[in-house]
Amino acid sequence: MRKTFGTGSVWEQKVGYSRAVQVDNTLYISATAASGEDGIVGEDFYTQTRFILDKLGTVLADAGFGYADVVQSKLYLTDISQWEEAGRAHGEVFGEIRPTLALVHVLPFLDPKMLVEIELVAQKSTG
């Protein structure tokens, strides 16, 4: 079974991707930025990370998953020295769940106001 989930973003159609793709009991969520209706939300790593994780909570729920189903998390940071601020926000959501984690230092994103992107993989237990 393969099912796609979108958010209605013009970029999804333009670039040819889905916000999330479910294959059987696994949900793959595209790298997501702190973009809101009025542009990028937050000017620091903590605020953007929290906003993104809240946004991804909605994506998970829309697909019938939750934070507890997340098995892998990747944080892409434009300034690796700010990993503790992003990590603090991540820990507030995943402290007890403890998915695998990658902190990746990247060049600036297309919009220089974007400091963080987060990509998740969630899996429902079959047993």
Side-chain angles (χ1 to χ4, degrees):
M1 174 195 92
R2 184 178 193 275
K3 183 175 181 184
T4 61
F5 298 87
T7 60
S9 164
V10 297
W11 293 105
E12 291 172 9
Q13 186 63 39
K14 190 173 194 170
V15 180
Y17 75 99
S18 297
R19 173 61 45 214
V21 175
Q22 181 178 356
V23 178
D24 298 325
N25 64 334
T26 304
L27 184 70
Y28 303 89
I29 302 177
S30 293
T32 301
S35 55
E37 290 183 19
D38 297 323
I40 301 302
V41 175
E43 297 180 1
D44 61 79
F45 285 80
Y46 174 84
T47 303
Q48 287 195 16
T49 301
R50 270 312 302 218
F51 182 85
I52 295 165
L53 290 171
D54 290 344
K55 188 175 177 179
L56 292 177
T58 301
V59 173
L60 287 162
D62 288 348
F65 289 75
Y67 290 124
D69 298 314
V70 173
V71 296
Q72 184 178 60
S73 180
K74 295 179 185 176
L75 275 68
Y76 301 97
L77 309 175
T78 58
D79 181 353
I80 200 67
S81 73
Q82 297 297 312
W83 72 269
E84 289 182 85
E85 286 302 297
R88 180 167 61 96
H90 189 273
E92 289 172 2
V93 173
F94 291 113
E96 297 298 316
I97 300 163
R98 300 184 55 190
T100 64
L101 174 67
L103 292 170
V104 182
H105 188 200
V106 298
L107 294 172
F109 296 109
L110 294 174
D111 183 336
K113 293 179 184 174
M114 292 169 49
L115 305 174
V116 180
E117 279 196 345
I118 301 174
E119 181 180 352
L120 299 178
V121 176
Q123 189 168 59
K124 288 212 177 259
S125 176
T126 57

